Amino acid sequence: MPSVRFGEFASELQVGESTLDALLRSGAAVSYSCKAGSCGSCMLRAVEGGIPATAQTGLKDSWKARGYFLACVCHPEGDITCAPVDADAQVPARVVSLDNLSSDVVRLRLECDAPFEFSAGQYITMVRPDGLARSYSIASLPSEGFLELQVRCLPNGRMSDWVRNEAQAGDAVKVLGPSGDCFYVPGKPEQTLILIGTGTGLAPLYGILRDALSHGHSGPIHLFHGAIREEGLYLREELAQLAAVKSNFEYIPTLLNSDGPVDQVVLKRFPKPAGSRAFLCGDPAIVQSLKKKLFLQGMDLRDIHADAFLPAA
Ligand SMILES: Cc1cc2nc3c(=O)[nH]c(=O)nc-3n(C[C@H](O)[C@H](O)[C@H](O)COP(=O)(O)OP(=O)(O)OC[C@H]3O[C@@H](n4cnc5c(N)ncnc54)[C@H](O)[C@@H]3O)c2cc1C
């Protein structure tokens, strides 16, 4: 079997094992989160040896050219030696503010110390100095000059507990990305937009909504926010106020017990969604099932943009 080397650490791959798992087994301290090839936190640089193309899927061309690859989905056919990525792939950033949007959602704003291009609604991976990495969607617009994340605090959540109880303005983190295709693309200003999110799935939608409005989107924009309890409908007042002044924007908060699951509410309202553009974010089960249902109801898959908030592996 091929072997993988990272600094002083080396190990022989076991059958079916990824480069990441082999390196972790050898004791190497490599950051990771999703272990599914999407968050980018385990990205390394190949110094020697061939990297399969599948381990570079979705990476920028300039990164591919430099030999960057995702260790969690890398199954090399021969020996490889790898090293950490250079500074171009990890932007240093600082926490600039923290405030509570509800009893369990914290708004965290970061400022990057180097230029960082993104579209509202994409996601970044935030890496703490100890290497812990988690993905978060971007709720802010590039013109605002900061990255706004809306973080739901989970019981015993390693990153979210830190955000809620320890992080302070001035703390240093690193930012990887951006990734994902959940963002507004101008060009069809009259198209109906259907934005659907559960929990902090609102974060990217809040960015996409404001981006579409700032581009002068004139077609109807419907934002469905699903929560289990009233308390989960954070930013409710602000969104209701926005709907009161923007005639093409409708805000539809939905509660599980009184209104039913948000996917059913959406399909009842839009039984024929073909021709619209949809953005689905948050709970993976709801995102996956709604994506399938919208497709079966006639929507073109190219018009469905989805980010499932998969938990870290
Ligand atoms: C593309 C993408 C975008 C994301 N965007 C956001 C975002 O904008 N806001 C946000 O708050 N989160 C977002 N997430 C989720 C985020 O990356 C973390 O998984 C989350 O913050 C938990 O991390 P943690 O370290 O606090 O908890 P962990 O230490 O990873 O987990 C603690 C415990 O909670 C459980 N757990 C983890 N996630 C969930 C969940 N969703 N529901 C219930 N239990 C769970 C774990 O199984 C574990 O038992 C996103 C994830 C992805 C993949």
Side-chain angles (χ1 to χ4, degrees), residues 33-56:
S33 179
C34 73
K35 282 197 174 180
S38 72
C39 75
S41 51
C42 65
M43 191 159 71
L44 297 176
R45 180 165 60 88
V47 181
E48 267 178 38
I51 294 299
T54 46
Q56 296 187 310

Side-chain angles (χ1 to χ4, degrees), residues 123 132 134-137 150-152 154-161 200 203-204 307-312:
Y123 64 90
L132 183 75
R134 294 286 184 269
S135 300
Y136 294 101
S137 302
Q150 297 171 1
V151 180
R152 180 175 154 224
L154 292 168
N156 305 317
R158 287 198 291 156
M159 184 65 91
S160 57
D161 247 6
T200 41
D307 266 340
F309 288 7
L310 293 166

Side-chain angles (χ1 to χ4, degrees), residues 33-34 36-41 57-60 63 70 110 116-126 133-140 147-150 175-183 200 203-205 208 280-282 305-310:
S33 179
C34 73
S38 72
C39 75
S41 51
T57 306
L59 299 186
K60 292 183 201 175
W63 289 356
L70 300 173
L110 303 174
F116 186 77
E117 285 178 23
F118 66 93
S119 295
Q122 287 190 289
Y123 64 90
I124 52 122
T125 296
M126 178 167 78
R134 294 286 184 269
S135 300
Y136 294 101
S137 302
I138 309 172
S140 49
L147 291 175
E148 174 171 320
L149 315 179
Q150 297 171 1
V175 167
L176 301 180
S179 309
D181 74 341
C182 256
F183 57 89
T200 41
L205 305 182
I208 293 165
L280 324 173
C281 302
H305 305 274
D307 266 340
F309 288 7
L310 293 166

